[in-house]
Amino acid sequence: MQSSEVVIETRSLSKVYRDFWGRQKVRALKALDLEIRRGEIFGLLGPNGSGKTTTVKLVLGLLFPTSGQALVFGRDATDVKKNERIGYLPEESYLYRFLNAEETLEFYGRLFDMPAPLRRQRIADLIEMVGLGWAKRRQLREYSKGMTRRIGLAQALINDPELIVLDEPTTGLDPIGCREMKDLILRLRDEGKTILMCSHLLADVQDVCDRIGILYQGELQELGRVDSLLKVRDTTEIRATGLSEACQAEIRQVIERHGGQVLSIGNPTTTLEELFLHIIRESEAHPGRRVRGGAGNGH
């Protein structure tokens, strides 16, 4: 269950890439303030060049910030000790093509100094979890992109991490594989894992994420709970069954008087794709706009 414990925190986190002479070339991230809590799935969205990858690399300690700070488990992100508690699935997994699935996970398990009995059990469990039992002894060079994605996820989970960072986790998967991957992500959340997920596939993010942040040109443009952000607040939707044609245009009291049953009354939702495009258009129309105050927590 999601708790109040903050796993990832960024404080005015900024990153400027400079050229050979030290001149500012690209301002990739501008004063990012963000909190991700234990037990939640947080989706980081944005078009190419928006700062998603830079944010992930700063959180993992692969880059140093120009200013500000990133904290993971209360430690500075540059502290390598935190990495024992993190699993990372990059957009392109870098795996040894001439190893099979078992050998691959054996190699990474040894890197974490896992005892042999625990390592063997963990490998068997992960291969079953990602559905590759039938191909566990085939060399990875024979794997499809979707199969490679699955073994990449297993590799990211070999150390039973508390925080899992997923970059485009459904890349290369067919519709069934996508659904299975999303179910795995939800299962990991139910086990108490914290997940930071970057994706261009908005429907996938909408299906699994508790909260999202939308980045554009290095700035956080929107932040909040998915269900709250997608709610159309100026429209009320009534869903009912068993109504006559005359009754459908009436309010709740009339529906009940005609013998119908109100199934729900509330706010309809838009889609994450529509919200995303709206935020980007608004950001282009109003440069410098910042995320609305109070939208971040959704609690």
Side-chain angles (χ1 to χ4, degrees):
M1 296 295 293
Q2 184 178 335
S3 73
S4 59
E5 180 186 348
V6 176
V7 172
I8 297 175
E9 181 181 3
T10 66
R11 301 172 179 171
S12 297
L13 188 65
S14 300
K15 180 63 179 178
V16 174
Y17 292 105
R18 301 184 183 277
D19 63 17
F20 178 79
W21 292 274
R23 297 173 302 190
Q24 180 172 319
K25 185 178 179 182
V26 177
R27 191 171 184 83
L29 199 62
K30 304 174 185 176
L32 177 65
D33 290 315
L34 192 64
E35 290 185 352
I36 299 176
R37 298 178 181 84
R38 182 175 295 279
E40 75 171 327
I41 304 175
F42 187 91
L44 195 59
L45 306 178
N48 291 332
S50 62
K52 300 191 309 298
T53 299
T54 296
T55 301
V56 167
K57 288 182 177 180
L58 288 166
V59 166
L60 293 174
L62 301 176
L63 290 176
F64 291 94
T66 304
S67 62
Q69 188 178 28
L71 299 172
V72 182
F73 302 118
R75 298 174 178 264
D76 192 280
T78 57
D79 185 344
V80 296
K81 291 182 180 179
K82 75 182 192 316
N83 294 341
E84 297 178 357
R85 303 163 68 183
I86 299 176
Y88 176 43
L89 176 64
E91 186 173 0
E92 294 290 339
S93 296
Y94 301 99
L95 302 169
Y96 295 100
R97 299 175 63 248
F98 294 98
L99 297 181
N100 62 34
E102 289 182 322
E103 293 166 340
T104 296
L105 297 182
E106 172 75 15
F107 172 76
Y108 286 102
R110 285 177 178 271
L111 290 181
F112 284 98
D113 282 335
M114 297 173 64
L118 175 61
R119 191 170 63 243
R120 285 193 294 268
Q121 185 60 52
R122 185 71 179 156
I123 289 169
D125 291 345
L126 287 172
I127 287 176
E128 180 181 357
M129 177 188 292
V130 299
L132 285 175
W134 59 279
K136 62 184 179 182
R137 293 190 172 88
R138 288 173 55 182
Q139 290 184 340
L140 300 193
R141 63 176 178 167
E142 301 176 12
Y143 276 23
S144 66
K145 189 169 184 179
M147 294 166 68
T148 301
R149 207 75 190 129
R150 292 168 184 264
I151 195 62
L153 177 63
Q155 176 260 311
L157 298 175
I158 189 66
N159 58 322
D160 194 18
E162 299 171 51
L163 170 63
I164 304 165
V165 181
L166 305 175
D167 195 354
E168 304 290 347
T170 58
T171 296
L173 298 178
D174 60 25
I176 295 175
C178 285
R179 183 66 261 172
E180 291 174 345
M181 177 67 80
K182 288 186 282 189
D183 288 342
L184 277 173
I185 293 171
L186 292 170
R187 172 180 166 183
L188 291 168
R189 191 266 312 272
D190 292 342
E191 292 175 358
K193 310 295 187 185
T194 305
I195 300 166
L196 171 59
M197 173 177 165
C198 298
S199 180
H200 289 93
L201 301 176
L202 302 182
D204 289 351
V205 175
Q206 184 172 342
D207 282 347
V208 302
C209 289
D210 301 303
R211 291 194 303 142
I212 59 169
I214 297 178
L215 287 171
Y216 183 63
Q217 295 182 344
E219 292 190 90
L220 186 64
Q221 302 293 342
E222 191 61 271
L223 178 67
R225 290 195 60 84
V226 173
D227 51 4
S228 177
L229 290 174
L230 298 185
K231 188 173 289 184
V232 182
R233 300 187 181 279
D234 59 354
T235 304
T236 299
E237 180 180 69
I238 299 175
R239 301 181 62 212
T241 186
L243 307 179
S244 66
E245 291 185 6
C247 184
Q248 293 180 22
E250 305 294 337
I251 59 175
R252 172 189 278 271
Q253 292 84 354
V254 176
I255 291 175
E256 293 174 349
R257 189 163 66 244
H258 280 260
Q261 180 184 6
V262 177
L263 302 180
S264 65
I265 297 179
N267 302 110
T269 61
T270 182
T271 65
L272 189 52
E273 181 177 17
E274 290 171 347
L275 172 71
F276 180 85
L277 294 175
H278 172 73
I279 294 298
I280 298 305
R281 284 193 293 264
E282 284 290 305
S283 300
E284 290 176 340
H286 305 285
R289 172 185 177 270
R290 300 291 294 179
V291 60
R292 291 196 298 267
N297 295 332
H299 295 283

